Amino acid sequence: MSTDVKGQRRALGRGLDALLPGPVASGSVERSVFLCAIEKIVPQKGQPRQYFDETELEELTASIREHGLIEPLVVRRGSPGSDRFEIIAGERRWRAAQRAGLHDVVVVVKDVSPKEAFELALIENVQRSDLNPIEVAEALDRLLREHGYTQEVLAERVGKDRSTITNVLRLLKLPTRIRSKVISRELSEGHARALLGAPDEKSMDDIAERAIRGKLPVRKVESLVRAAKERATAPAEEKPAGTDKPPAGKSASVRDLETRLTRRLGTKVEVRDQGGRGELGIAYSSLDELDRILALLDG
């Protein structure tokens, strides 16, 4: 590896330090920090962050109206000699500044390639915890596919263990509808990782809905996934020879009642019926879940 490449890697590895402006030579025509008209700034094409929480954006807008934009935007020049700039870091601040009615914002200009700009944007967002887990996974996947990195090199570039990179990338195996629940924060990254172990998409959807509806902890979701896997791998019950009828047991109406109660309460319910009389068995894994079930019953 050449000295230049090693130096470049170290620079990117510094993360946020690499975004800060260096000294400007005396008499230099090119200014690295200045007040720029907001309409001359555009978002980075394909930047890592794709989703912006509306409430947080409004809070930032109110703060900027009162205090101004304290932190500058980090940008790159669109083309040599151009007066148009592309955002490397600070799109959320740029959006809020527009809403707040600002006409000019302070920018820090970095002389970097589009590839380096994307890497810096990813590093800045990850270090600030600004990206949701799906955005991080999509950004890392793009670096692997478009920039030709191995997972080892990528882990070094973003300052993460390779195992962390692998686990994050696994989130891209989730169906789109589950990813959207992670993006909206209805499910945490821990919930999402647990769901990856489900035997099929239907089980994954069912458990995800139960987790959201019952506000289940990750450990409970893991338990539900294990149970689903056990059911999926258990040998099917043998049917009586010469018949397609289900084996003797609970009637269809009792099984339907169990299904409806299970969906309603968000936990397994067993109906033990004998001639119109019997018992209900309601499962719970913690006192908190028991309180939740009792609240549903009281309602």
Side-chain angles (χ1 to χ4, degrees):
M1 184 180 291
S2 68
T3 303
D4 289 343
V5 173
K6 287 182 178 179
Q8 184 187 61
R9 177 172 292 183
R10 284 195 298 270
L12 287 171
R14 291 202 309 272
L16 296 181
D17 289 343
L19 298 176
L20 300 177
V24 181
S26 176
S28 172
V29 175
E30 181 72 20
R31 294 176 298 165
S32 64
V33 183
F34 62 95
L35 198 63
C36 179
I38 202 165
E39 67 268 15
K40 293 184 177 181
I41 303 169
V42 296
Q44 182 182 154
K45 295 179 181 178
Q47 77 119 344
R49 186 171 187 176
Q50 299 296 322
Y51 310 96
F52 297 86
D53 183 270
E54 187 64 25
T55 300
E56 292 179 357
L57 198 56
E58 282 300 324
E59 290 174 352
L60 181 57
T61 300
S63 175
I64 290 175
R65 285 197 186 103
E66 183 174 356
H67 305 290
L69 185 62
I70 299 173
E71 189 175 358
L73 308 181
V74 182
V75 301
R76 62 181 292 272
R77 199 173 291 277
S79 60
S82 171
D83 65 347
R84 301 284 172 173
F85 300 90
E86 186 178 82
I87 298 171
I88 297 175
E91 182 175 342
R92 189 168 68 99
R93 278 169 276 145
W94 173 75
R95 288 171 178 259
Q98 287 182 308
R99 292 189 180 194
L102 270 61
H103 299 291
D104 307 284
V105 292
V106 176
V107 298
V108 175
V109 182
K110 300 296 294 183
D111 183 18
V112 294
S113 68
K115 174 182 174 180
E116 291 170 322
F118 181 79
E119 291 181 357
L120 288 172
L122 174 60
I123 292 168
E124 193 261 356
N125 279 290
V126 168
Q127 290 189 357
R128 293 175 184 270
S129 299
D130 277 353
L131 299 181
N132 66 60
I134 301 301
E135 286 175 322
V136 173
E138 290 173 344
L140 294 178
D141 181 62
R142 180 178 166 190
L143 287 173
L144 288 172
R145 289 184 294 100
E146 297 182 11
H147 299 177
Y149 291 145
T150 63
Q151 288 196 19
E152 292 87 347
V153 172
L154 183 57
E156 182 181 344
R157 301 287 269 195
V158 299
K160 302 286 185 182
D161 293 334
R162 184 188 172 183
S163 60
T164 301
I165 299 294
T166 301
N167 284 330
V168 171
L169 290 171
R170 289 182 66 233
L171 297 178
L172 297 180
K173 296 179 180 179
L174 291 167
T176 302
R177 54 190 172 276
I178 302 294
R179 290 195 211 178
S180 67
K181 302 297 184 182
V182 179
I183 292 168
S184 64
R185 301 178 184 176
E186 294 175 86
L187 293 171
S188 71
E189 183 175 355
H191 288 109
R193 288 183 182 176
L195 288 168
L196 284 166
D200 51 60
E201 287 193 17
K202 184 180 185 308
S203 298
M204 188 181 293
D205 285 338
D206 291 344
I207 296 171
E209 288 302 319
R210 287 183 63 177
I212 294 170
R213 186 171 60 246
K215 298 181 179 179
L216 303 181
V218 173
R219 287 188 179 277
K220 177 61 177 176
V221 172
E222 292 172 343
S223 176
L224 292 173
V225 168
R226 283 195 299 270
K229 290 172 70 175
E230 290 171 0
R231 289 194 299 271
T233 57
E237 290 184 323
E238 293 185 5
K239 294 182 180 180
T243 179
D244 291 329
K245 294 181 180 179
K250 296 177 181 177
S251 66
S253 60
V254 169
R255 292 199 302 272
D256 178 65
L257 179 59
E258 285 181 332
T259 299
R260 288 188 288 117
L261 287 171
T262 295
R263 288 176 179 170
R264 175 68 180 88
L265 299 179
T267 190
K268 183 178 179 181
V269 177
E270 182 181 2
V271 178
R272 294 182 284 272
D273 176 74
Q274 291 183 345
R277 302 179 64 181
E279 299 174 336
L280 283 180
I282 302 175
Y284 61 92
S285 59
S286 67
L287 293 178
D288 286 340
E289 187 172 12
L290 176 59
D291 287 340
R292 179 186 65 78
I293 294 169
L294 290 174
L296 287 172
L297 294 174
D298 287 342

